[in-house]
């Protein structure tokens, strides 16, 4: 049974940093594509960052470029999202997601689509105050 558990959310002032983590179990961690998504109240869930099979390729949504970094520790089966220079508009619930059957073809095109990911965590709240 696949299980994803996020942690590391919290409240921070604008300009601050947070590091989110997602512990994974129930599948071969390094063989899956992982992603971070976020959803603010009343908004669609949007893609933040993705990483291909243990770190072969990293991709970022426009809101994350230059400020966030996705990484994973295969030995600890943990996905991370380092978020720097946080802004109030980053306030949202952040979710990690996993896709276990993960082709590299067109990865940069499909990584941001929610429907591609079969497994989701319960989310962790990030609140950034101005």
């Amino acid at each position: 049974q696949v299980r994803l558990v996020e942690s590391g959310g919290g409240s921070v002032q604008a300009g601050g940093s947070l590091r989110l983590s997602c512990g994974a179990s129930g599948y071969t961690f390094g063989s899956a594509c992982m992603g971070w998504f976020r959803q603010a109240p009343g908004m669609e869930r949007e893609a933040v960052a993705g990483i291909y099979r243990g770190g072969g390729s990293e991709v970022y949504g426009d809101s994350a470029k230059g400020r966030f970094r996705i990484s994973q520790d295969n030995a600890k089966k943990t996905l991370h999202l380092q978020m720097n220079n946080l802004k109030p508009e980053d306030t949202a619930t952040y979710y990690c997601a996993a896709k276990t059957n993960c082709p590299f073809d067109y990865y940069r095109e499909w990584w941001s689509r929610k429907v591609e990911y079969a497994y989701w965590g319960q989310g962790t709240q990030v609140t950034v105050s101005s």
Side-chain angles (χ1 to χ4, degrees):
Q1 181 181 359
V2 175
R3 188 164 183 244
L4 302 173
V5 181
E6 300 96 335
S7 61
S11 297
V12 65
Q13 288 191 325
S17 298
L18 282 174
R19 189 189 194 210
L20 306 184
S21 297
C22 173
S25 60
Y27 66 98
T28 304
F29 182 71
S31 68
C33 290
M34 305 292 296
W36 284 101
F37 290 73
R38 69 185 185 186
Q39 188 168 18
M43 304 292 286
E44 290 287 323
R45 191 170 296 191
E46 67 168 339
V48 176
I51 189 165
Y52 181 82
R53 286 198 179 186
S57 181
E58 300 169 18
V59 287
Y60 295 92
D62 289 341
S63 63
K65 289 177 182 176
R67 299 188 299 129
F68 297 179
R69 182 171 182 270
I70 189 170
S71 63
Q72 65 183 71
D73 184 332
N74 291 333
K76 296 182 178 179
K77 297 184 179 181
T78 303
L79 179 73
H80 298 289
L81 184 68
Q82 177 66 43
M83 305 188 295
N84 298 323
N85 189 22
L86 282 160
K87 304 175 181 180
E89 52 264 43
D90 294 318
T91 295
T93 300
Y94 284 70
Y95 300 88
C96 72
K99 177 179 174 70
T100 54
N101 183 7
C102 181
F104 188 73
D105 291 350
Y106 306 108
Y107 173 64
R108 289 184 177 272
E109 294 182 16
W110 63 255
W111 78 272
S112 60
R113 296 198 291 258
K114 301 183 294 291
V115 296
E116 297 288 345
Y117 297 84
Y119 305 103
W120 294 84
Q122 84 290 348
T124 186
Q125 177 67 36
V126 171
T127 302
V128 185
S129 58
S130 58

